[in-house]
Each structure stands twice: as C-alpha cells, then as structure tokens.
Amino acid sequence: MDLIQRVQQHFEESIAAKMAAVEVLSPAIALAAEKVVQTLIADGKILACGNGGSAADAQHFAAEMVGRFERERPGLPAIALTTDSSALTAIANDYDFDLVFSKQVHALGRAGDILVAISTSGNSANVISAIHAAHDRQMTVIAFTGRDGGQIADLMTGDDVNICVPHPRTARIQEVHITAIHALCDAVDFMLLGGD
C-alpha cells in the first residue's frame, strides 16, 4: 500500500463507520436533542467533559452552544469542564485526577441540568466519576461512547442517553462523535428556531 492509498483508506473507513452508525445513533441523538431543549427551556445548563480528543469535543460542543452552530441565535448556557486550568490542576493535585470533573459537576451542576460525558472507550475514570456526581445532583447524562459503551453503558439510568458508536477504533469513534455533536447542535437549533 502506498501513502496515497493509506490516506484514502482513512476516508473510506470513516465513511463506512458513519454509515454503520447512522441508523443506530439517529434516534439517540434526536432524543438527546429533545432533552437538551427541555433543559434549556427550563433555564438549565449543559456541562461537558472528556479527556484528550474527547476534551476537545466537549469544548467544541460548548462553543457551538454558547456562540452558534450554523444559524444566528442567542447564546445557550454550556460549559466545558476541561478549560479551567486552575481548577483542573488544583483538583488533580489536591485530590485526584479522577475527580477533576466530578468536583466541578458538584459545584456547578443543578437538578435538571445535563452532563455531556464523552469517552471513546466508555471507561474513563474521571468521566465515570462525573456521571456519578451528575446523578447525585439529579442531572441527566448524555454520554458519547464507543465500542460496547464500556462501564459508562452500565451507569445510564432511565433519563440518560448513551450515543454509543459501534466501532472498535478510537479514531473512527471520534469522527462519528463530532458528526453526532453537529447533528445534536443542528437538532437543538431546529427545535428552538424552526425552519428547514
């Protein structure tokens, strides 16, 4: 395989992963959008967390909510728990890295809010801890996972939504996650603003 074929293989695998996920994930993404809109209408907010590429996805999602996705609208209350370096390093240093998100969820989350919890494996300890904290605060969890959903799949309660990408490879899971996040943002805007 030459270098061009190797590059093309990434595109082909990404397309195949998205096509395999479209029927499986669309109902969960639509349900997640309904929950987000219900929370926003009730004057709630969204907290988002993840590690590495999933941290970037959490920040990307929060930016789409606070700024805009594709249509002009007022900002929507969303906070990425991955951006406050002072809080992250203080919690990691004084307590444990597994608590960097859960301490923030306990401090900022309120009943009726949503936690967007992103983990490609479904096994990230600090994201799992954040889910426990969200449930303690009577928050709904929207999880973005992959493979079999890992430990996070077992933590989902009746009001939670697990958007689990049916693929074994981390890169493909991340690529489907960002498409799912964009679809979620679009669905939220559609419900709030109407239109095509």
Side-chain angles (χ1 to χ4, degrees):
M1 173 185 306
D2 69 14
L3 194 55
I4 292 173
Q5 289 173 321
R6 186 173 183 89
V7 170
Q8 289 172 338
Q9 185 176 5
H10 279 276
F11 282 91
E12 291 163 2
E13 287 179 7
S14 184
I15 291 165
K18 290 173 183 170
M19 292 307 296
V22 68
E23 295 295 329
V24 175
L25 299 187
S26 294
I29 295 166
L31 178 60
E34 290 172 355
K35 290 183 178 293
V36 167
V37 169
Q38 290 167 1
T39 292
L40 295 172
I41 288 171
D43 205 26
K45 65 185 167 300
I46 304 148
L47 305 178
C49 66
N51 296 287
S54 296
D57 287 344
Q59 291 168 217
H60 187 141
F61 173 72
E64 303 285 25
M65 292 287 100
V66 173
R68 68 169 180 196
F69 178 54
E70 293 182 323
R71 298 170 63 189
E72 289 300 330
R73 58 151 163 75
L76 303 173
I79 302 167
L81 303 179
T82 55
T83 60
D84 186 340
S85 59
S86 295
L88 291 168
T89 56
I91 295 166
N93 184 63
D94 297 347
Y95 299 95
D96 188 273
F97 191 73
D98 290 352
L99 303 178
V100 294
F101 302 135
S102 61
K103 295 281 283 180
Q104 294 184 77
V105 170
H106 276 293
L108 302 171
R110 299 291 177 263
D113 287 348
I114 288 176
L115 174 69
V116 171
I118 309 172
S119 171
T120 57
S121 68
N123 295 316
S124 302
N126 55 10
V127 175
I128 289 169
S129 182
I131 291 170
H132 287 299
H135 288 155
D136 290 347
R137 300 297 275 165
Q138 299 177 353
M139 296 169 61
T140 297
V141 175
I142 297 172
F144 286 83
T145 63
R147 300 181 184 94
D148 63 358
Q151 297 172 53
I152 288 175
D154 296 331
L155 299 177
M156 299 291 97
T157 63
D159 288 334
D160 297 335
V161 180
N162 186 14
I163 299 167
C164 182
V165 178
H167 200 281
R169 192 168 173 193
T170 299
R172 301 294 86 89
I173 295 167
Q174 289 172 323
E175 290 157 4
V176 176
H177 278 178
I178 199 60
T179 300
I181 286 167
H182 283 160
L184 175 61
C185 292
D186 176 72
V188 167
D189 283 357
F190 176 77
M191 284 188 284
L192 292 175
L193 303 172
D196 297 333

